[in-house]
Amino acid sequence: MALSVGIVGLPNVGKSTVFNALTAGKAEAANYPFCTIDPNIGIVPVPDPRLERITKYIPPQKVIPTSVEIVDIAGLVKGAAQGEGLGNKFLANIRETSAVLMMVRCFDDPNVVHVAGAVDPLRDIEIIDLELALADLDSADKRLKKATSNAKTGNKEAQAELALVTKVQACLAAGKAARTLLPSLGADERALLSTFGLLTSKPVLYCCNVGEGDLPAGNQWSKLVEERARAEGAGVVILCGKIEAELAELAPAERTELLQSYGLTEPALATLARECYRLLGLQSYFTAGEKEVRAWTIRKGATAPEAAGVIHTDFQKGFIRAQVYTLADLEQYKSEAAIKAAGKMRMEGKDYVVADGDILHFFFNV
């Protein structure tokens, strides 16, 4: 699916280090601003323990998890909206992503330069939000002029757009992100706002990069970010980029030992990948057989034919019905044959909305 999460933040906060750990990529990570210039793109597997649970009863030749696209974008600095640093390039790159992973420095290290001179995660977040808001304000001003002209015709849709653009412009002029308006907007307004293409209307996940000694709970800086995220309804992941980079290089046995030494049960990057997936409004369904057990990506609310189309367009065009059962059914009855015998195997038609975790077989004819 053409959806991606952009990693953004000030220079030297650990974006490329985390990106490399996530993707086993080779993005340059160094102690100077603008180490990343052109965006690096990686496809990140989304760990899903349900896959392993399915394979206990349907052993396959291979297991294929779903994935999410992550984009490592150049660091932003104050004044980016006016072209400072790599401002215009940064803004263009983030505009092309579907959601924002905001990397925030929550560690103090005299050997790693902080572009603003000292660690202050809330200030860093405000710098980024302000620069994105200033860029959006320019877009909103242009849209306001057009909406004002169109509303004079008396067209109700144009008048509704004018009312919304006016709200958005006031919000941005105050240096606030457009997403802060979402709780006060109706469904129609939210749908209309999504067409504006605003940087600050994109969903956000905060990633607090803490020191080794602050795992797993974080520190006083990450607590401040968590408070802000709760107020916004945003998510937070706490990790140590340095440790995640080490974990990515280790064999499984050594990885488990290192995780345990920090009180962790899995790499924080596994949580991060799942949270990015959720941030994009995605969910998974499964297909299971002797050849493979596989997770497939769909938007929440997708119908059975749309889910079939993810496998192949012919599946959607010629969709007849879907055979559906759940992981709970499989764990209770141990096999598909037993699920059928118990009357738990459902046949669903074109209007069926696929639930997260459904196990499906499709019937089609083209």
Side-chain angles (χ1 to χ4, degrees), residues 107-187:
F107 68 89
D108 196 10
D109 185 342
N111 296 315
V112 180
V113 177
H114 193 295
V115 71
V119 177
D120 185 341
L122 295 187
R123 176 208 56 211
D124 295 352
I125 291 170
E126 287 168 3
I127 288 173
I128 294 169
D129 273 348
L130 177 59
E131 295 303 323
L132 298 182
L134 289 172
D136 279 349
L137 187 58
D138 183 55
S139 298
D141 287 342
K142 293 175 182 176
R143 190 150 191 147
L144 181 62
K145 290 178 182 177
K146 185 176 180 180
T148 300
S149 177
N150 292 340
K152 290 178 180 177
T153 65
N155 182 284
K156 290 185 178 179
E157 291 182 358
Q159 291 175 341
E161 180 172 344
L162 175 60
L164 180 58
V165 174
T166 301
K167 290 180 186 178
V168 170
Q169 188 196 44
C171 175
L172 295 170
K176 297 180 181 178
R179 64 180 176 274
T180 61
L181 287 173
L182 290 174
S184 65
L185 300 181

Side-chain angles (χ1 to χ4, degrees), residues 18 26 31 45 47 53 89 96 106 122 133 184 188 235 251 263 295 331 333-334 358-359 363:
V18 170
K26 300 299 180 184
N31 181 22
R53 290 163 62 189
K89 189 176 184 67
E96 294 174 2
C106 294
L122 295 187
S184 65
D188 290 344
E331 290 180 323
Y333 297 102
K334 316 303 181 188
D358 275 350
I359 304 172
F363 295 87

Side-chain angles (χ1 to χ4, degrees), residues 23-345:
T23 64
K26 300 299 180 184
E28 188 175 357
N31 181 22
Y32 58 88
F34 308 122
C35 175
T36 299
I37 296 177
D38 294 319
N40 299 293
I41 299 174
I43 305 299
V44 179
V46 178
D48 193 330
R50 294 175 296 183
L51 285 167
E52 185 177 352
R53 290 163 62 189
I54 292 171
T55 62
K56 289 181 181 179
Y57 306 99
I58 306 177
Q61 295 174 23
K62 58 182 177 180
V63 177
I64 305 175
T66 190
S67 60
V68 62
E69 184 176 280
I70 304 290
V71 183
D72 177 24
I73 297 172
L76 173 146
V77 295
K78 190 173 183 179
Q82 285 76 44
E84 291 294 323
L86 298 172
N88 293 331
K89 189 176 184 67
F90 172 94
L91 297 171
N93 290 335
I94 191 61
R95 200 177 296 280
E96 294 174 2
T97 63
S98 307
V100 172
L101 171 59
M102 197 176 295
M103 185 71 62
V104 186
R105 179 169 168 174
C106 294
F107 68 89
D108 196 10
D109 185 342
N111 296 315
V112 180
V113 177
H114 193 295
V115 71
V119 177
D120 185 341
L122 295 187
R123 176 208 56 211
D124 295 352
I125 291 170
E126 287 168 3
I127 288 173
I128 294 169
D129 273 348
L130 177 59
E131 295 303 323
L132 298 182
L134 289 172
D136 279 349
L137 187 58
D138 183 55
S139 298
D141 287 342
K142 293 175 182 176
R143 190 150 191 147
L144 181 62
K145 290 178 182 177
K146 185 176 180 180
T148 300
S149 177
N150 292 340
K152 290 178 180 177
T153 65
N155 182 284
K156 290 185 178 179
E157 291 182 358
Q159 291 175 341
E161 180 172 344
L162 175 60
L164 180 58
V165 174
T166 301
K167 290 180 186 178
V168 170
Q169 188 196 44
C171 175
L172 295 170
K176 297 180 181 178
R179 64 180 176 274
T180 61
L181 287 173
L182 290 174
S184 65
L185 300 181
D188 290 344
E189 288 179 307
R190 289 187 180 204
L192 181 56
L193 179 62
S194 69
T195 69
F196 287 10
L198 299 176
L199 298 169
T200 61
S201 66
K202 297 177 186 290
V204 169
L205 172 67
Y206 293 105
C207 181
C208 297
N209 191 5
V210 302
E212 298 175 52
D214 297 320
L215 293 174
N219 56 29
Q220 73 274 19
W221 287 317
S222 64
K223 300 297 183 194
L224 294 174
V225 177
E226 288 179 297
E227 289 176 15
R228 181 185 178 109
R230 275 195 296 271
E232 293 181 2
V236 179
V237 174
I238 295 172
L239 57 73
C240 173
K242 182 180 178 182
I243 295 302
E244 295 297 322
E246 288 183 28
L247 288 168
E249 299 291 333
L250 296 177
E254 295 173 310
R255 188 181 303 140
T256 299
E257 185 178 341
L258 183 59
L259 284 169
Q260 291 176 344
S261 71
Y262 285 101
L264 302 172
T265 57
E266 66 175 356
L269 294 182
T271 303
L272 186 61
R274 287 193 291 266
E275 284 297 304
C276 286
Y277 195 69
R278 180 194 62 77
L279 191 65
L280 292 170
L282 303 177
Q283 64 181 31
S284 299
Y285 74 88
F286 305 102
T287 53
E290 292 181 0
K291 288 187 176 181
E292 67 179 31
V293 169
R294 181 167 182 166
W296 299 89
T297 300
I298 55 173
R299 287 183 180 273
K300 292 179 181 177
T303 61
E306 290 170 335
V310 173
I311 299 176
H312 197 286
T313 54
D314 284 349
F315 282 31
Q316 183 169 359
K317 291 176 183 176
F319 179 88
I320 298 173
R321 64 184 181 276
Q323 193 177 58
V324 187
Y325 63 96
T326 67
L327 177 55
D329 293 332
L330 182 60
E331 290 180 323
Q332 180 178 354
Y333 297 102
K334 316 303 181 188
S335 72
E336 289 188 347
I339 294 171
K340 288 180 182 178
K344 295 293 185 178
M345 188 77 77

